[in-house]
Amino acid sequence: MNSVLTRRRMIGLSAAAVLIAVLFYGARLGPAALANSREITGWVLAGVSVFLLLFNVRKRIPAFPVGRGYYWLQLHIYLGLFSGAAFLAHSEWRLPTGVLDWCLWLVFAGVFVTGVFGIVLSRLVPSRLNARGERVIYERIPAFRTQLAGEVEALVLRAVQEAASSTIAELYVNRLLPFLSHSRNFWAHMLSASDHRQALQNEIHAVRRYLPAEGNAILDEIEARVLAKDDLDYQYTWQSLVKGWLLLHLPLSCAMIPLVVVHVVINYAFGLGGM
Amino acid sequence: MSEADIALILAQPFFAQIDTQAFPAQMPLADILSHDSRIVRYEPGEVIIRRGDYGNSLFAVVEGTVRVLLQSPRGLQRRAPGQWRRWSRAFASTFGSRRRVENRDLARYQIQTGGTPRAAYTRIRDLDRIVAETQTVPLGQGEIFGEIAALTRQARSADVVAETPVTAVEIRWQGIRDIRRFARPVRDQLNDRYRDRTLANTLAREPLFAGLDAKVIEAIASESLIETYGEEDWYLRLQKLDLAGRLEQEPVIVAEGHQLDDVLFILSGFGRVTETVERGQRTIGYVRAGEAHGLRELLEDLQSGGIGLRRTSLRAIGTVNVLRIPSTLVEHHILPTLAPGQLRPQQKSRAGEDSQRRLDFIVDGRYMNGTATMVIDLARCTGCDDCVRACASAHDNNPRFVRHGHSEANLMIANACMHCVDPVCLIGCPTGAIRRIEETRTVAINDAACIGCQTCANSCPYSNIRMVEIRDTAGKPVLDADTNQPIIKATKCDLCFDTPGGPSCERACPHDALIRMDMQDPFSLLKWIER
Ligand code: SF4
Ligand code: SF4
């Protein structure tokens, strides 16, 4: 698990490489040995795409014994990589010409890029989620955020009453309230940067010297909650990425189906036999 | 309980034999009875105990007659569904509406229960016919029953039904434990009954004794000692366990450095295996019901030419019942029949710092209780929730687990029913709705029989049962006719026992991050997590 090139991965990559080599060799031989290399690579690509789409079908029938999701994903990944090579072979390394072909090209590129992004994300996310704060259930994050905001508000009121401090109230209104009310610092969390966190802490520490002892004790509690909220934002960012990337990959994959059908029909209708 | 009740109980033959002077002044017999027993009354036909239930009490008949039914009547049993049902469930869950959440077909409830679930599952209407047609045993005034399940927390082995109006004394296992502690004749009597009626059969079902013929097993049963250690149920203080002092709280069953002259077979409960490291004790493994401690040490000693001293200690986690089998019997009868894989290697040989912490985590959280614990590898889990969606799809569109739980480094035990070796959630269910299905060893809830009393949800020490409000097929909340309150039902993971492919969560995980694992062997878990 720790090494990037595990045995399983080596096998998968080798299999994909062999398939790609066979495809390119077949495509090169095509005009001589076979009727039309574009037609062959086109149908290979269509077949692979159908199989790639079946992964989503597998997810929707979990009650049936149709193989473990893990093996499906492995096949999906390696065939997905293979489909990229098949696409290049099919397009013969050239950019498309017509509007429809451009659409198909762009949508395929979108599916491929989001797919690769998904692979990278699945490798990255577990360690990121373990790095800071507790792994909180995504749907519960807003409730936890509200809870923390409520606790901070109660502490600020206590500070006003018990420590007769308006400094904390000012800090709360100007700085903490906007921070606590929404999820913040998406990009910073994505880049695992912590400048904003440090800045917040500095601002909290800056008011300490104006506070009596009780006020400082309350400020400690406030600071702990502010940091907990930052950890929540961090979890929210990474979990949003996990949920969000599929919202790109899946619709783009579905959009490919009609485009491919039209592409095939047009090419056969006009007797082009390929593109 | 009133003094008259206590006097009535003490007049029963089982209690009359007890020497009240043997009890310490701070714990007199009358106090034990007043805390741990009660007088119960049953109408004819009422089910007192049900085969398969996990009772924790013994009964003594004060008045009337009960019938022990040696074959379970239909309706009280719970079986795994056949192939046809499994496939039809798979179709229904896949192609049914995703918007229907916790919907129930109320007409089918009526057919299954013939009225209110409680009446249907707690009363037998045609007892006379059952008595005439099947094998039953009558028990009358002064007789006791249910003591074996109460002592060893095995499933009840027969149904017991009131034949006439019955008055009985029910005494909880804590009371029996205290009485056994101070009243030797009672202890001997109960141990003898257990030995005569059940022990040989129990042993015969265990893999360790599989290679032995019935006579040898009987000899082992009669020559071994039955002992009980620990005073508290393992689950009672689970939430407020003082980890720092945990080892001191666990009584030593056998100590490292002592002569290895017997092997401890665990009849019920859990034991912690420790070894001395400098001046402290380190957990190196655990044993649970059906396993033995000292077997490997004995084998190693015999191979090196003589029985020596114990290299490890065994401590009781909660109350543990053990069978102390003399080493000579083990050497002559059991060891020659064992296959090599039946002896578990010592944890010691593998323990690195990480493995050690994980092992402590498993034992301290009592996760070794699980036969199908949901373990998530946080080094792989992306939080994609495919497992949750798969579970929801297979279960009325409402997942039966929460993908969250206690964790130690990258090992997380999710909040999903573990299908425990000792399923304490079963204790006290008034209709027997929550049962263990013997063919699959799965703990499942019969939805039609569940009356929503929450006993199981309150009993599960891992908080793995959730109560849900049900809806009818039109999606409207179902209300109780008397109280007008929503009807609730207990739900939990059933290991997809009624769908064709087994646990959907495990099969769905695209990152190989989730597994349902029998915690019998910590090595498999450690190997999986470190793969
Ligand atoms: S509900 Fe709780 S006690 Fe019962 S089997 Fe499941 S995890 Fe164990
Ligand atoms: S399916 Fe696997 S990776 Fe996804 S949330 Fe469940 S355990 Fe984690």
Side-chain angles (χ1 to χ4, degrees), chain A residues 205-233:
Chain A
H205 293 169
V207 301
R208 276 195 191 285
R209 69 185 110 142
Y210 310 119
L211 297 178
E214 323 76 278
N216 264 315
I218 294 176
L219 199 62
D220 284 343
E221 292 190 46
I222 291 177
E223 185 182 352
R225 282 161 181 83
V226 165
L227 295 183
K229 154 70 171 52
D230 191 52
D231 288 345
L232 261 190
D233 287 349

Short mmCIF file of all heavy atoms in Angstrom, two decimals, chain A residues 205-233:
data_model
loop_
_atom_site.label_atom_id
_atom_site.label_comp_id
_atom_site.label_asym_id
_atom_site.label_seq_id
_atom_site.Cartn_x
_atom_site.Cartn_y
_atom_site.Cartn_z
N HIS A 205 -4.44 36.23 19.52
CA HIS A 205 -3.40 36.47 20.53
C HIS A 205 -3.18 37.97 20.76
O HIS A 205 -2.82 38.38 21.86
CB HIS A 205 -2.09 35.80 20.11
CG HIS A 205 -2.20 34.31 20.13
ND1 HIS A 205 -1.26 33.47 19.60
CD2 HIS A 205 -3.17 33.48 20.60
CE1 HIS A 205 -1.64 32.21 19.74
NE2 HIS A 205 -2.80 32.20 20.34
N ALA A 206 -3.43 38.73 19.70
CA ALA A 206 -3.16 40.18 19.82
C ALA A 206 -4.03 40.86 20.86
O ALA A 206 -3.64 41.87 21.43
CB ALA A 206 -3.36 40.83 18.46
N VAL A 207 -5.23 40.32 21.10
CA VAL A 207 -6.11 40.99 22.07
C VAL A 207 -5.84 40.54 23.51
O VAL A 207 -6.39 41.09 24.44
CB VAL A 207 -7.61 40.79 21.74
CG1 VAL A 207 -7.93 41.32 20.37
CG2 VAL A 207 -8.01 39.34 21.87
N ARG A 208 -5.01 39.55 23.67
CA ARG A 208 -4.78 39.00 25.01
C ARG A 208 -4.32 40.06 26.01
O ARG A 208 -4.76 40.10 27.14
CB ARG A 208 -3.71 37.90 24.95
CG ARG A 208 -4.25 36.57 24.57
CD ARG A 208 -3.27 35.47 24.87
NE ARG A 208 -3.74 34.24 24.25
CZ ARG A 208 -4.74 33.51 24.71
NH1 ARG A 208 -5.35 33.89 25.82
NH2 ARG A 208 -5.13 32.43 24.08
N ARG A 209 -3.42 40.89 25.57
CA ARG A 209 -2.80 41.84 26.52
C ARG A 209 -3.82 42.83 27.10
O ARG A 209 -3.56 43.47 28.08
CB ARG A 209 -1.64 42.55 25.86
CG ARG A 209 -2.05 43.51 24.76
CD ARG A 209 -0.82 44.06 24.10
NE ARG A 209 -0.72 43.52 22.76
CZ ARG A 209 -0.31 44.23 21.74
NH1 ARG A 209 0.13 45.44 21.93
NH2 ARG A 209 -0.27 43.71 20.54
N TYR A 210 -5.00 42.92 26.41
CA TYR A 210 -6.00 43.87 26.95
C TYR A 210 -6.96 43.19 27.92
O TYR A 210 -7.85 43.83 28.44
CB TYR A 210 -6.85 44.46 25.80
CG TYR A 210 -6.02 45.00 24.67
CD1 TYR A 210 -6.12 44.47 23.39
CD2 TYR A 210 -5.12 46.05 24.89
CE1 TYR A 210 -5.35 44.96 22.35
CE2 TYR A 210 -4.35 46.54 23.86
CZ TYR A 210 -4.46 45.99 22.60
OH TYR A 210 -3.70 46.47 21.58
N LEU A 211 -6.78 41.91 28.12
CA LEU A 211 -7.82 41.17 28.86
C LEU A 211 -7.41 40.85 30.28
O LEU A 211 -6.22 40.59 30.54
CB LEU A 211 -8.13 39.86 28.16
CG LEU A 211 -8.71 39.94 26.75
CD1 LEU A 211 -8.91 38.55 26.19
CD2 LEU A 211 -10.04 40.68 26.77
N PRO A 212 -8.41 40.80 31.20
CA PRO A 212 -8.11 40.30 32.54
C PRO A 212 -7.95 38.78 32.48
O PRO A 212 -8.22 38.17 31.44
CB PRO A 212 -9.37 40.68 33.34
CG PRO A 212 -10.45 40.79 32.32
CD PRO A 212 -9.80 41.23 31.05
N ALA A 213 -7.57 38.17 33.61
CA ALA A 213 -7.28 36.72 33.63
C ALA A 213 -8.46 35.89 33.15
O ALA A 213 -8.30 34.98 32.32
CB ALA A 213 -6.87 36.30 35.04
N GLU A 214 -9.69 36.23 33.65
CA GLU A 214 -10.85 35.41 33.24
C GLU A 214 -11.07 35.51 31.74
O GLU A 214 -11.44 34.55 31.07
CB GLU A 214 -12.17 35.84 33.89
CG GLU A 214 -12.25 36.32 35.31
CD GLU A 214 -11.77 37.72 35.52
OE1 GLU A 214 -10.55 37.91 35.64
OE2 GLU A 214 -12.59 38.64 35.60
N GLY A 215 -10.83 36.74 31.22
CA GLY A 215 -11.01 36.96 29.79
C GLY A 215 -10.07 36.08 28.98
O GLY A 215 -10.43 35.52 27.96
N ASN A 216 -8.83 35.94 29.48
CA ASN A 216 -7.87 35.09 28.77
C ASN A 216 -8.28 33.64 28.76
O ASN A 216 -8.08 32.92 27.76
CB ASN A 216 -6.49 35.24 29.42
CG ASN A 216 -5.66 36.28 28.66
OD1 ASN A 216 -5.63 36.26 27.44
ND2 ASN A 216 -5.05 37.20 29.40
N ALA A 217 -8.86 33.19 29.90
CA ALA A 217 -9.32 31.79 29.97
C ALA A 217 -10.42 31.55 28.93
O ALA A 217 -10.44 30.53 28.23
CB ALA A 217 -9.83 31.47 31.37
N ILE A 218 -11.32 32.56 28.85
CA ILE A 218 -12.41 32.41 27.87
C ILE A 218 -11.84 32.45 26.45
O ILE A 218 -12.26 31.69 25.57
CB ILE A 218 -13.47 33.52 28.08
CG1 ILE A 218 -14.15 33.31 29.44
CG2 ILE A 218 -14.50 33.51 26.95
CD1 ILE A 218 -15.15 34.39 29.81
N LEU A 219 -10.85 33.30 26.25
CA LEU A 219 -10.25 33.41 24.92
C LEU A 219 -9.60 32.08 24.49
O LEU A 219 -9.65 31.69 23.32
CB LEU A 219 -9.21 34.53 24.91
CG LEU A 219 -8.84 35.05 23.52
CD1 LEU A 219 -10.05 35.65 22.82
CD2 LEU A 219 -7.73 36.09 23.61
N ASP A 220 -9.02 31.39 25.47
CA ASP A 220 -8.43 30.07 25.16
C ASP A 220 -9.50 29.14 24.59
O ASP A 220 -9.28 28.42 23.62
CB ASP A 220 -7.85 29.43 26.43
CG ASP A 220 -6.53 30.08 26.81
OD1 ASP A 220 -5.94 30.76 25.93
OD2 ASP A 220 -6.11 29.93 27.97
N GLU A 221 -10.66 29.17 25.27
CA GLU A 221 -11.75 28.28 24.82
C GLU A 221 -12.23 28.68 23.43
O GLU A 221 -12.53 27.84 22.59
CB GLU A 221 -12.91 28.31 25.81
CG GLU A 221 -12.57 27.68 27.14
CD GLU A 221 -13.79 27.50 28.01
OE1 GLU A 221 -14.82 27.03 27.48
OE2 GLU A 221 -13.73 27.84 29.20
N ILE A 222 -12.28 30.00 23.21
CA ILE A 222 -12.72 30.48 21.89
C ILE A 222 -11.72 30.03 20.82
O ILE A 222 -12.09 29.52 19.77
CB ILE A 222 -12.86 32.01 21.90
CG1 ILE A 222 -14.04 32.41 22.78
CG2 ILE A 222 -13.03 32.56 20.48
CD1 ILE A 222 -14.23 33.91 22.94
N GLU A 223 -10.45 30.17 21.15
CA GLU A 223 -9.42 29.81 20.18
C GLU A 223 -9.51 28.32 19.81
O GLU A 223 -9.40 27.96 18.64
CB GLU A 223 -8.03 30.13 20.74
CG GLU A 223 -6.95 29.87 19.71
CD GLU A 223 -5.54 30.13 20.24
OE1 GLU A 223 -5.40 30.66 21.37
OE2 GLU A 223 -4.59 29.79 19.51
N ALA A 224 -9.74 27.50 20.83
CA ALA A 224 -9.85 26.05 20.55
C ALA A 224 -10.98 25.79 19.55
O ALA A 224 -10.85 24.96 18.64
CB ALA A 224 -10.09 25.29 21.85
N ARG A 225 -12.08 26.50 19.72
CA ARG A 225 -13.23 26.28 18.82
C ARG A 225 -12.96 26.84 17.42
O ARG A 225 -13.40 26.29 16.42
CB ARG A 225 -14.50 26.86 19.43
CG ARG A 225 -15.03 25.94 20.51
CD ARG A 225 -15.99 26.61 21.45
NE ARG A 225 -16.43 25.66 22.47
CZ ARG A 225 -15.74 25.37 23.57
NH1 ARG A 225 -14.56 25.91 23.78
NH2 ARG A 225 -16.22 24.51 24.45
N VAL A 226 -12.27 27.95 17.39
CA VAL A 226 -11.93 28.54 16.08
C VAL A 226 -11.04 27.55 15.29
O VAL A 226 -11.25 27.31 14.10
CB VAL A 226 -11.23 29.90 16.27
CG1 VAL A 226 -10.57 30.36 14.99
CG2 VAL A 226 -12.25 30.93 16.73
N LEU A 227 -10.08 26.96 15.99
CA LEU A 227 -9.20 26.00 15.31
C LEU A 227 -9.99 24.75 14.89
O LEU A 227 -9.76 24.20 13.81
CB LEU A 227 -8.03 25.61 16.23
CG LEU A 227 -7.07 26.77 16.57
CD1 LEU A 227 -5.92 26.27 17.43
CD2 LEU A 227 -6.53 27.43 15.30
N ALA A 228 -10.93 24.36 15.76
CA ALA A 228 -11.76 23.19 15.40
C ALA A 228 -12.59 23.50 14.16
O ALA A 228 -12.76 22.65 13.28
CB ALA A 228 -12.67 22.82 16.57
N LYS A 229 -13.07 24.75 14.07
CA LYS A 229 -13.85 25.14 12.88
C LYS A 229 -12.96 25.13 11.64
O LYS A 229 -13.38 24.73 10.55
CB LYS A 229 -14.45 26.53 13.13
CG LYS A 229 -14.76 27.37 11.91
CD LYS A 229 -15.92 26.84 11.11
CE LYS A 229 -16.42 27.74 10.00
NZ LYS A 229 -15.49 28.26 9.03
N ASP A 230 -11.71 25.54 11.81
CA ASP A 230 -10.78 25.52 10.67
C ASP A 230 -10.54 24.07 10.22
O ASP A 230 -10.50 23.78 9.03
CB ASP A 230 -9.47 26.20 11.08
CG ASP A 230 -8.60 26.45 9.86
OD1 ASP A 230 -9.10 27.04 8.89
OD2 ASP A 230 -7.43 26.04 9.87
N ASP A 231 -10.42 23.18 11.20
CA ASP A 231 -10.26 21.75 10.85
C ASP A 231 -11.48 21.25 10.10
O ASP A 231 -11.37 20.46 9.16
CB ASP A 231 -10.05 20.91 12.12
CG ASP A 231 -8.67 21.14 12.72
OD1 ASP A 231 -7.81 21.70 12.02
OD2 ASP A 231 -8.46 20.76 13.89
N LEU A 232 -12.66 21.72 10.54
CA LEU A 232 -13.90 21.32 9.86
C LEU A 232 -13.88 21.79 8.41
O LEU A 232 -14.26 21.04 7.50
CB LEU A 232 -15.11 21.96 10.55
CG LEU A 232 -15.93 21.15 11.54
CD1 LEU A 232 -17.19 21.92 11.88
CD2 LEU A 232 -16.28 19.78 11.03
N ASP A 233 -13.44 23.05 8.21
CA ASP A 233 -13.36 23.58 6.85
C ASP A 233 -12.43 22.74 6.00
O ASP A 233 -12.69 22.49 4.82
CB ASP A 233 -12.83 25.02 6.88
CG ASP A 233 -13.87 26.00 7.41
OD1 ASP A 233 -15.03 25.58 7.55
OD2 ASP A 233 -13.51 27.15 7.70
#
